[in-house]
Each structure stands twice: as structure tokens, then as C-alpha cells.
Amino acid sequence: MERQRLDKWLWHARVVKARTSAAALVEAGHVRINGAREKAPGHAVKAGDVLTIGLDRTVRILKVIGFAPRRGDASAARGLYVDLQDRPE
């Protein structure tokens, strides 16, 4: 798998609890792909894309490194991305 729908990837990566919540997050304009605001939940993300996600009280910056055919547990979800805010300074 080379690409995946943005809302589906957010759900598989456990950024949100439900796929409909992922779609609503994207449609509200709270997700950027490589710095560009995206409002289409069906937009395809590919490995190497950097997602900036504005959540309730925080902003997460994630680099897509993989895809999953279905939603797994939390440890499997962490294998789908690199959290760019976890870098030591």
C-alpha cells in the first residue's frame, strides 16, 4: 500500500477515536499536509508526508512512515508515524 485516505490513516494511527471524527477534523480545517491546509477527508497521504494536526488542547506533528490495512492496537499505531515533537533538543 503506497497511499491511504487521510481520515482512514488518522483513525488507524489512533489520533482520533472514530473515523467520522477524523473526517470532521479534516473538514474543519484542523489538518495540514506538508504545510498546506487540507479539507478533503479522502485526500491521499503517502509515506514521508508531514501532518500537522490541531487537536483540542494540543498540536501534533507526525511524519507518515507506514500504513495499515486495518486498525490495530496502540503499539501497531505507533509504527505508522514518527512524532516530530519527540526529538531531543
Side-chain angles (χ1 to χ4, degrees):
M1 186 179 311
E2 294 179 17
R3 294 178 180 261
Q4 191 169 42
R5 285 178 58 105
L6 177 57
D7 60 345
K8 199 170 185 180
W9 188 89
L10 291 169
W11 181 55
H12 286 185
R14 294 186 168 264
V15 174
V16 292
K17 291 185 179 183
R19 188 166 168 192
T20 54
S21 300
L25 188 71
V26 175
E27 289 172 349
H30 297 296
V31 179
R32 292 178 181 261
I33 300 175
N34 299 324
R37 188 178 308 269
E38 185 55 56
K39 289 197 170 192
H43 184 87
V45 293
K46 62 186 182 310
D49 284 346
V50 176
L51 305 180
T52 306
I53 306 154
L55 299 171
D56 288 336
R57 294 182 177 90
T58 184
V59 173
R60 295 188 70 188
I61 302 172
L62 308 176
K63 183 175 183 178
V64 178
I65 59 169
F67 305 101
R70 55 182 235 155
R71 190 172 196 230
D73 61 2
S75 62
R78 282 191 296 273
L80 302 180
Y81 61 85
V82 173
D83 192 337
L84 298 180
Q85 293 170 312
D86 284 348
R87 292 185 175 176
E89 294 180 13

